[in-house]
Amino acid sequence: MDTKKKLTAPLIYAVSIAAIGSLQFGYNTGVINAPEKIIRGFFNRTLSERSGSAASQELLTSLWSLSVAIFSVGGMIGSFSVSLFVNRFGRRNSMLLVNVLAFAGGLLMAFSKAAGSVEMFIIGRFVIGTFCGLCTGFVPMYISEVSPTSLRGAFGTLNQLGIVVGILVAQIFGLEAIMGTEGLWPMLLGFTILPAIIQCIGLLFCPESPRFLLINKMEEEKAQAVLQKLRGDRDVSQDIEEMKEESAKMSQEKKVTVPELFRSPNYRQAIIIAIMLQLSQQLSGINAVFYYSTGIFERAGITQPVYATIGAGVVNTVFTVVSLFLVERAGRRTLHLAGLGGMAVCAAVMTVALALKDVVDWIRYISIVATFGFVALFEIGPGPIPWFIVAELFSQGPRPAAVAVAGCSNWTSNFLVGMLFPYAEKLCGSYVFLIFLVFLVIFFVFTFFKVPETKGRTFEEISRVFEGRGTGSPQKMEMNKAA
């Protein structure tokens, strides 16, 4: 297949507008960390005024934990609902519709202080979490379906770039010098409305996924017109032919449900790979580093830990850009293995550095370097690749259900890490990252033996590998050859 497709303005515009949904996910993940003490104070004052007596620390801690956890619960529900939207409304229209949730969640959080309502704040976190869960399915799916095969990996990485830029923006805006203050924290949380407005306007000028138009809606002329615009070429017969083959195959299959993904040997191995890759992202320990990075840096003896945390966010962003340029050259599987292996080494170094910080004075700086290295290597592979490789492993029919299952597994593991890490840290102390080291080794071995290389392959070529070979290993099927 000819993979020398050129970049066009309509293509760049479409994937950039879609990636605003990823930025929303990153922003709302990181925004609640900096103003934690201020928001806890709001909870305390509001509850004390209602009851006439001071709220207990146990109640305040429980409400704060709920505020953090409810975001992930909303994300689980949203991610599992992806297929309900994309098959009915299409990819672009689904992204447009669910921005209603961004407006609702942003307004609830922004006005919770003025209304003196802790409940508004918590409900707002749940609503915005549901929105972000939906975005984690819509954005990678849309980007993968509008991108040419030769650029699918690079553009797929834009999804992760949106997430890390969102986290970094939240960290910077959350500084006390900007919006991390008693008076401005509602604006900090309500800021999510602005990118929602921009995306809604931008999506009006984005095309629908050509694969959805041809395969799902059987509108070949519209699909062809969209492809010609996106590719900047009148001759899109090769893309159309590939979609027609996939459409013919899909018409012979019954509708693929979530249980069918696990029952059918055609899909079982692919969905297991998709889930394991999502778990490798969350159980790598990256969220533990970001959720508790300030505390890690404090224990390492850093006097201004908040700036070290922002530094980690900058590293996060820079190496996501590096991954964008590497993914179509080195391949998905290679980068994922490099990331997991490097993170395992950094986790071991972090453990030693934290254990010896009271014995060897200079080793505190080693823990900072190891933390930055951990973050950088995450963005080389385990950060961006699981999001878009799920869309690559499945053809049009099972793709929405597979994206929903993979997304839900990601959000569920995210939730569990957030809830259980404080207890693990209390129990294991400086050795807590050994837990993630074990997971990293397990995922490295799994990736080496089971995950195929999808670089340069069409959706149909990739899905064909798994058909009738549910018990075989894609690694043995020459999928790792450069296209």
Side-chain angles (χ1 to χ4, degrees), residues 173-387:
F173 282 8
L175 290 172
E176 193 173 344
I178 303 178
M179 284 193 281
T181 63
E182 179 66 44
L184 293 178
W185 71 259
M187 188 184 298
L188 177 68
L189 291 163
F191 180 80
T192 192
I193 295 170
L194 181 59
I197 293 170
I198 294 170
Q199 188 181 41
C200 281
I201 296 170
L203 282 170
L204 296 175
F205 303 98
C206 287
E208 181 53 88
S209 159
R211 304 187 80 84
F212 174 78
L213 290 172
L214 194 150
I215 300 174
N216 295 78
K217 304 291 285 184
M218 309 300 286
E219 296 176 352
E220 183 178 338
E221 288 186 6
K222 286 186 180 179
Q224 185 171 339
V226 168
L227 279 170
Q228 288 171 342
K229 183 180 178 182
L230 290 171
R231 304 290 186 263
D233 191 346
R234 298 294 299 172
D235 182 14
V236 291
S237 56
Q238 205 167 12
D239 293 286
I240 293 291
E241 190 59 35
E242 183 227 323
M243 291 182 200
K244 282 184 175 179
E245 288 177 12
E246 192 174 335
S247 180
K249 173 195 154 192
M250 184 176 159
S251 66
Q252 296 168 4
E253 298 174 337
K254 63 180 181 180
K255 185 179 179 182
V256 180
T257 60
V258 169
E260 187 66 22
L261 289 174
F262 295 93
R263 284 197 298 258
S264 171
N266 290 346
Y267 308 128
R268 188 184 305 126
Q269 191 170 4
I271 194 62
I272 290 171
I273 289 171
I275 290 171
M276 286 294 283
L277 287 175
Q278 296 289 348
L279 294 180
S280 75
Q281 184 188 86
Q282 294 300 328
L283 299 182
S284 66
I286 190 65
N287 278 340
V289 168
F290 273 107
Y291 286 154
Y292 304 99
S293 55
T294 301
I296 290 171
F297 291 140
E298 280 177 348
R299 282 188 290 281
I302 304 302
T303 54
Q304 294 289 340
V306 66
Y307 292 104
T309 301
I310 291 174
V314 172
V315 171
N316 211 13
T317 305
V318 169
F319 277 87
T320 303
V321 175
V322 171
S323 176
L324 191 151
F325 290 102
L326 289 178
V327 70
E328 290 298 354
R329 297 180 181 180
R332 287 74 154 141
R333 181 176 176 273
T334 302
L335 289 182
H336 199 66
L337 285 169
L340 291 171
M343 289 171 75
V345 173
C346 289
V349 173
M350 285 165 65
T351 301
V352 173
L354 288 171
L356 297 178
K357 72 181 190 308
D358 296 325
V359 179
V360 184
D361 189 53
W362 53 264
I363 208 165
R364 68 181 67 174
Y365 301 107
I366 300 296
S367 69
I368 296 295
V369 172
T371 301
F372 283 179
F374 191 89
V375 169
L377 287 157
F378 174 79
E379 294 305 343
I380 290 294
I385 288 169
W387 289 119

Side-chain angles (χ1 to χ4, degrees), residues 46 56 62 89 107 129 157 163 171 210 289 297 307 330 370 386 440 474:
T46 302
S56 67
S62 297
F89 303 110
L107 288 170
T157 305
I163 295 171
Q171 289 173 334
V289 168
F297 291 140
Y307 292 104
L440 286 163

Side-chain angles (χ1 to χ4, degrees), residues 54-117:
S56 67
Q57 284 302 311
E58 291 79 9
L59 176 60
L60 293 174
T61 300
S62 297
L63 285 173
W64 178 254
S65 298
L66 178 61
S67 300
V68 174
I70 202 77
F71 177 75
S72 294
V73 174
M76 290 181 222
I77 294 170
S79 61
F80 205 70
S81 306
V82 165
S83 59
L84 299 178
F85 284 86
V86 293
N87 287 333
R88 179 172 299 178
F89 303 110
R91 281 54 166 159
R92 186 202 68 165
N93 291 340
S94 293
M95 288 190 288
L96 189 59
L97 282 170
V98 299
N99 270 295
V100 171
L101 296 176
F103 293 129
L107 288 170
L108 283 167
M109 292 185 293
F111 288 101
S112 59
K113 181 184 178 184
S117 174

Side-chain angles (χ1 to χ4, degrees), residues 8 46 80 126 338 350 357 361 367 392 412 416 426 455:
T8 64
T46 302
F80 205 70
F126 173 76
M350 285 165 65
K357 72 181 190 308
D361 189 53
S367 69
E392 292 186 326
T412 303
L416 291 174
K426 189 175 181 180
K455 182 185 74 169

